[in-house]
Amino acid sequence: MSAETMRRVLIVGGVAGGASCAARLRRLDERADIHIFERGPHVSFANCGLPYYIGDVIPREEDLLVAGPQIFEKRFRIHVHANTEAVAIDRAAGELRVRDLTTGGERSERFDHLVLSPGASPIRPPLPGIDRPGIFTLRNIPDSVTIREWIAGRRAKSAVIVGGGFIGLEMAENLARRGLEVTVVEMLNQVMPPFDPEMAEYVAAELRAQGVRLALGDGVAAFEEGPGGNILVKTASGAEYAGDMVVLSIGVRPDTALAKAAGLELGPRGGIKTDDQMRTSDPRIFAIGDAVEVRDWVTGAPVLIPLAGPANRQGRIAADALCGRDSKFRGTQGTAICGIFELQAAATGASEKALRRAEFTDFETLALHPNNHAGYYPGAEKIHMKIIFRTSDGLLLGAQAVGRAGVDRRIDVIAALIQKHGTVFDLEESELCYAPQFGTAKDAINFAGMAAANVLRGDVALAHWHEPAQEGTLFLDVRSPEEFAGGHVAGALNIPLETLRDRLTEIPAGADIRAYCAVGIRGYLATRVLFQNGIPARNLSGGFHSAPAKMRA
Ligand code: FAD
């Protein structure tokens, strides 16, 4: 087949989505003429490793290169054009206009099919002083090299991170690890925006314990020159934080300029609109990765979820579709994990706050704190978990977990079940690997399922810590007197579980009883005793471990 008759597929963007699309396409079509155009100097690099390169955990820049142009050329016969920016799409002519950034020269490249994987750009709001030297964003290897050089050149001792999301917190950890004093300024009242606030609180506590200063609920208003030539970050509340450098990590915006200029349809959230095979409004053009809008797997709403996993899967699906296969992208459920010093924080599916925002009402939440492995085996750690499920049928809607070990496994199991429309009854019945150093015979996953199924079967009624107390509310603490003395809910009545059956007369008739223990198990047992003695009571989800600080006496 001559070059003229080979189909020509051009790919814009050569990292997560673009590189995986190109490689898959080659595996499926040995004859296609495949070209990757990448604005930056590298293709297929590990964006997710950048904070760890800055933190010296990944020692060498070349360790970030997953596959270089030679591998693409030699192993896959894919032509890589680095330092080459796509500047316009002529859909009528079937041509991509590209600019060689080393020479400035432009040329047109013919295509039969075009795949757009340009990613998303870090947001730089037009705030006063935003262009001052020393204010960085992080997207690629050159950004990380610039940050490293600044730290070394200025002997930076302090940094202000603007934005407490995943990248911001990874940068906080890595800069702190290099000995910098770090402050995180975040507009919301919590770090980790995809998490519910009470779960994010565990992460905030770890950051504070590691010496990271948190300024929550305060937005950045301006950047000025500070004492000694450093940067002064001024916030809306009037507070000021000085740092030798600033990292802006307040989110990303899909790179849609090319698509928009070419008249491709965008979705309501501003990403490129595609069908479930990643085809844009022009059937010859596909789009994948952070630049596209996806369907939220749980709510069905159009969303922007910039994650590496979906970008890679979409690349593969676009290549399949280009070869006539019927692979379809199912949507994104936002499964993500972040390491914060010694802590792991992971989530999948919808959060409680997202469901409330979407005005979903048919759901229940459950907090629990199981061990990652058998308590009798040395080194057991608590996993703080929250699961969210549909009340009407137990369908799993979301889960979050924070802990020092075993978090990834639990969230991955739930993520896989959510994708298969699993229910809390499936969690209850899941058969998971077990030996004492890895789990418990009744795994954290089973516990979550059993506790949720108990609720749906009417064996226990749940109360939540955020429910305001009312006239007649009785907080019944069923822990031991020693535990009670170590901290309890203000005004609670302490009747240890072991004496409850003999002291039922002490419980005022008609009270709104909210029983609690340390993590919820004895509270559940207590409500069973009370129920069967004709006394309605609810178990406080998560027990005293989940009680907000303001309720503790
Ligand atoms: P990218 O991988 O960003 O690739 C887009 C490429 O297109 C860029 O290299 C860009 O230079 C190029 N490009 C753009 N426009 C043009 C043009 N006009 N012409 C030519 N080239 C162009 N996700 C996770 O799931 N887990 C993580 O731990 C994680 N950590 C991250 C840490 C950091 C610091 C960053 C920045 C991202 C992280 N992500 C993580 C997100 C993940 O990297 C992205 O979701 C994923 O890379 C998106 O793939 P993509 O192909 O859409 O875009």
Side-chain angles (χ1 to χ4, degrees):
M1 193 176 265
S2 72
E4 287 71 41
T5 55
M6 279 193 284
R7 74 168 161 162
R8 205 156 192 262
V9 182
L10 308 188
I11 299 176
V12 177
V15 192
S20 60
C21 181
R24 172 74 172 169
L25 186 55
R26 171 57 74 230
R27 291 194 292 276
L28 297 182
D29 184 352
E30 188 55 22
R31 291 190 300 255
D33 181 22
I34 308 169
H35 295 256
I36 293 177
F37 296 90
E38 168 54 54
R39 181 167 52 196
H42 309 100
V43 285
S44 195
F45 65 88
N47 343 39
C48 310
L50 298 175
Y52 302 92
Y53 173 52
I54 293 169
D56 279 341
V57 179
I58 297 173
R60 298 172 314 162
E61 186 183 322
E62 54 267 36
D63 296 333
L64 295 167
L65 302 173
V66 181
Q70 298 81 0
I71 291 189
F72 278 101
E73 193 70 52
K74 291 214 164 75
R75 190 174 294 171
F76 295 106
R77 203 56 64 87
I78 290 168
H79 310 295
V80 171
H81 308 260
N83 298 306
T84 306
E85 183 173 24
V87 290
I89 303 167
D90 183 339
R91 287 165 54 196
E95 284 181 354
L96 181 70
R97 188 93 187 137
V98 300
R99 181 182 300 141
D100 183 329
L101 296 178
T102 47
T103 64
E106 287 194 8
R107 64 184 191 275
S108 288
E109 297 273 357
R110 184 187 68 76
F111 66 81
D112 297 306
H113 286 286
L114 180 63
V115 180
L116 302 177
S117 188
S121 317
I123 294 171
R124 276 186 91 94
L127 293 171
I130 187 96
D131 292 324
R132 300 190 73 79
I135 302 178
F136 303 102
T137 55
L138 179 61
R139 178 178 185 182
N140 51 32
I141 293 179
D143 292 340
S144 61
V145 170
T146 309
I147 293 174
R148 284 177 64 90
E149 285 172 357
W150 181 273
I151 295 171
R154 301 288 169 126
R155 293 200 171 82
K157 293 193 171 43
S158 58
V160 179
I161 311 282
V162 182
F166 286 58
I167 295 177
L169 297 190
E170 287 177 355
M171 283 303 298
E173 175 189 333
N174 279 288
L175 293 178
R177 195 181 274 140
R178 289 193 57 163
L180 276 73
E181 265 179 32
V182 178
T183 304
V184 176
V185 179
E186 164 61 56
M187 195 160 69
L188 297 178
N189 276 321
Q190 64 169 88
V191 292
M192 296 281 225
F195 284 66
D196 286 318
E198 78 279 13
M199 297 301 290
E201 194 45 49
Y202 296 110
V203 176
E206 173 74 5
L207 287 160
R208 291 190 187 103
Q210 298 282 352
V212 173
R213 184 157 61 143
L214 295 183
L216 303 180
D218 205 359
V220 170
F223 302 92
E224 288 179 7
E225 184 166 343
N230 62 8
I231 304 159
L232 206 55
V233 179
K234 295 192 145 190
T235 66
S237 74
E240 294 180 349
Y241 304 96
D244 294 324
M245 60 183 285
V246 170
V247 180
L248 281 179
S249 52
I250 53 176
V252 294
R253 194 171 282 132
D255 260 341
T256 54
L258 259 185
K260 203 170 163 189
L264 297 177
E265 203 178 326
L266 302 187
R269 304 296 308 276
I272 303 172
K273 195 170 176 186
T274 70
D275 64 11
D276 55 9
Q277 289 203 299
M278 312 316 298
R279 204 176 280 107
T280 67
S281 51
D282 182 328
R284 288 200 299 172
I285 304 178
F286 290 71
I288 54 182
D290 290 358
V292 305
E293 223 163 84
V294 290
R295 195 174 57 82
D296 183 302
W297 179 249
V298 176
T299 65
V303 281
L304 296 167
I305 301 184
L307 287 172
N312 276 278
R313 296 204 308 279
Q314 291 163 0
R316 189 178 162 90
I317 286 165
D320 281 5
L322 277 165
C323 295
R325 299 195 176 197
D326 68 353
S327 315
K328 291 190 171 64
F329 187 65
R330 298 176 178 183
T332 303
Q333 61 196 73
T335 308
I337 186 162
C338 187
I340 307 103
F341 296 96
E342 302 307 317
L343 220 53
Q344 313 165 353
T348 185
S351 62
E352 179 178 357
K353 64 183 182 183
L355 290 176
R356 289 197 191 286
R357 254 197 323 264
E359 298 182 355
F360 268 52
T361 50
D362 179 16
F363 73 90
E364 178 60 285
T365 72
L366 178 85
L368 67 163
H369 310 272
N371 282 338
N372 69 318
H373 65 57
Y376 62 80
Y377 190 88
E381 295 282 356
K382 283 220 173 313
I383 304 177
H384 307 291
M385 284 178 77
K386 174 172 184 173
I387 62 163
I388 305 166
F389 51 97
R390 207 153 67 186
T391 323
S392 48
D393 58 4
L395 185 80
L396 286 164
L397 301 174
Q400 297 159 45
V402 183
R404 287 171 201 281
V407 165
D408 49 351
R409 171 149 83 88
R410 275 45 182 227
I411 290 299
D412 278 345
V413 169
I414 298 177
L417 277 171
I418 287 180
Q419 217 184 67
K420 299 302 286 180
H421 304 288
T423 65
V424 297
F425 307 109
D426 295 314
L427 295 185
E428 203 180 12
E429 290 302 323
S430 291
E431 185 172 311
L432 304 168
C433 51
Y434 162 63
Q437 64 273 49
F438 301 111
T440 43
K442 228 190 259 171
D443 190 81
I445 288 286
N446 303 125
F447 265 125
M450 289 169 191
N454 283 342
V455 175
L456 296 185
R457 293 190 184 111
D459 291 337
V460 64
L462 282 184
H464 297 283
W465 289 100
H466 59 73
E467 281 177 55
Q470 55 193 22
E471 181 82 32
T473 295
L474 171 72
F475 288 99
L476 178 63
D477 188 322
V478 298
R479 298 173 303 159
S480 69
E482 294 74 30
E483 288 172 284
F484 186 78
H488 55 263
V489 174
L493 172 65
N494 181 217
I495 304 183
L497 174 64
E498 293 70 19
T499 61
L500 183 61
R501 291 179 183 87
D502 305 321
R503 295 175 60 184
L504 293 175
T505 51
E506 293 177 38
I507 296 172
D512 159 34
I513 301 169
R514 303 183 191 176
Y516 71 88
C517 58
V519 294
I521 296 171
R522 282 173 289 169
Y524 162 54
L525 300 177
T527 59
R528 292 301 303 160
V529 171
L530 294 170
F531 272 142
Q532 293 179 68
N533 281 281
I535 304 171
R538 293 183 295 154
N539 186 24
L540 268 160
S541 182
F544 195 59
H545 250 82
S546 293
K550 61 176 190 246
M551 293 183 74
R552 292 163 182 247

